[in-house]
Amino acid sequence: MNRAVTSLTNPTVKAVRALHLRKEREETGLFVAEGLKIVTDAVELGHAPRILMYGQDAHSHPLLRSAIEATRAARGEVIEVTHDILAKVSRRDNPQAVVGVFAQVFTPLAELNPDAAPCFVALHRVRDPGNLGTIVRTADAAGCGAVILVGECCDPFSVEAVRATMGSIFAVPIVRATEAEFAAWRSSWPGSVVGTLLTADVDHRQATYAKPALVLMGNEQQGLTPDMAALCDVNVKIPMRGRADSLNLSVATGIMIYAAT
């Protein structure tokens, strides 16, 4: 039998709610993922929940049974909860019927294998978790080898970022590096490094993307800094044909990923 919890003041419920705070995620090394599909994807990729919460709506779903078995096998905690608890945990009026708590996984920069994929993505000081999550999802769809976060970036394991990945957070290696670490590592990169600049002369479709290509993108406000742009073999521009003078970061990164692949 699974444990049933109905109180919003239950210690486990309070601990899961606290994972909306970056400080709590950093201290515990845990994060929240919502939805039976995402939890199932995680289990299939070898990530068992530390805590699995589910509501009555998901009680008889066969995929839930598999998630429960994986959680128990990993000595995790399985809890049946009320709709109100799911709403509080997810901070949504219409919450998912399943919520999982997972361990964060970062891949060391030195362990990346450039031969593992035709394209890798590096993001410098990305600020918006929705953009970051969408980029991770796009990188997964295009078969990229990793997403590298350079410098002070938003948290890839925030609830907003994880939602935007639609489960790809479990499929794409996530790497963190300082600017200095990234610059030193880039010096041995065997393929091309391509950045985007509004002042570039080369069209993004005309650049040489020698495999493995490393696409380097700047943040939402400033774009690539001069130091980051200098690390690129070539900087390119995506033509603007209308009145808008720029693209959303996740859209621009998606265009670059598919140009490179």
Side-chain angles (χ1 to χ4, degrees):
M1 294 292 292
N2 300 320
R3 186 159 69 95
V5 171
T6 60
S7 173
L8 293 171
T9 61
N10 175 271
T12 301
V13 173
K14 293 170 68 175
V16 176
R17 289 179 64 189
L19 292 175
H20 279 264
L21 301 174
R22 183 166 188 168
K23 179 176 181 290
E24 193 70 18
R25 292 193 299 273
E26 290 176 347
E27 290 180 355
T28 62
L30 302 174
F31 72 101
V32 173
E34 302 163 305
L36 181 56
K37 180 187 181 301
I38 291 179
V39 169
T40 299
D41 289 345
V43 169
E44 290 177 350
L45 290 167
H47 301 269
R50 298 287 185 88
I51 302 171
L52 183 67
M53 292 181 166
Y54 69 92
Q56 186 63 38
D57 291 348
H59 189 275
S60 61
H61 201 292
L63 291 179
L64 177 64
R65 289 195 288 272
S66 298
I68 289 173
E69 290 172 3
T71 306
R72 286 175 174 163
R75 299 189 175 183
E77 188 174 5
V78 179
I79 309 173
E80 182 176 353
V81 297
T82 64
H83 180 276
D84 286 345
I85 289 177
L86 290 171
K88 287 292 185 181
V89 165
S90 64
R91 297 187 180 178
R92 285 184 165 186
D93 292 333
N94 297 306
Q96 297 278 356
V98 177
V99 171
V101 174
F102 295 87
Q104 300 177 26
V105 178
F106 287 99
T107 299
L109 187 61
E111 291 185 8
L112 286 185
N113 177 11
D115 297 327
C119 181
F120 290 70
V121 180
L123 305 173
H124 185 226
R125 298 180 182 175
V126 61
R127 300 298 189 195
D128 186 278
N131 279 338
L132 176 52
T134 301
I135 291 168
V136 171
R137 181 181 179 185
T138 305
D140 183 16
C144 293
V147 173
I148 305 166
L149 306 179
V150 184
E152 290 295 325
C153 294
C154 61
D155 186 0
F157 294 105
S158 69
V159 173
E160 296 82 2
V162 172
R163 282 174 182 162
T165 71
M166 294 294 291
S168 293
I169 191 68
F170 298 104
V172 178
I174 306 295
V175 181
R176 290 187 297 189
T178 65
E179 284 89 348
E181 290 168 342
F182 178 76
W185 173 82
R186 177 266 175 271
S187 64
S188 62
W189 184 255
S192 59
V193 181
V194 183
T196 55
L197 279 179
L198 286 173
T199 57
D201 296 322
V202 180
D203 187 292
H204 77 288
R205 294 161 297 185
Q206 298 170 342
T208 299
Y209 298 93
K211 302 295 188 295
L214 176 60
V215 173
L216 176 57
M217 305 293 293
N219 75 9
E220 294 88 346
Q221 286 77 36
Q222 297 176 313
L224 279 184
T225 63
D227 288 346
M228 288 292 110
L231 295 176
C232 298
D233 297 311
V234 60
N235 287 290
V236 302
K237 64 180 178 182
I238 301 172
M240 302 290 112
R241 299 194 179 96
R243 287 180 57 85
D245 61 3
S246 64
L247 290 170
N248 168 273
L249 176 61
S250 61
V251 173
T253 305
I255 291 172
M256 290 298 298
I257 286 172
Y258 276 93
T261 54

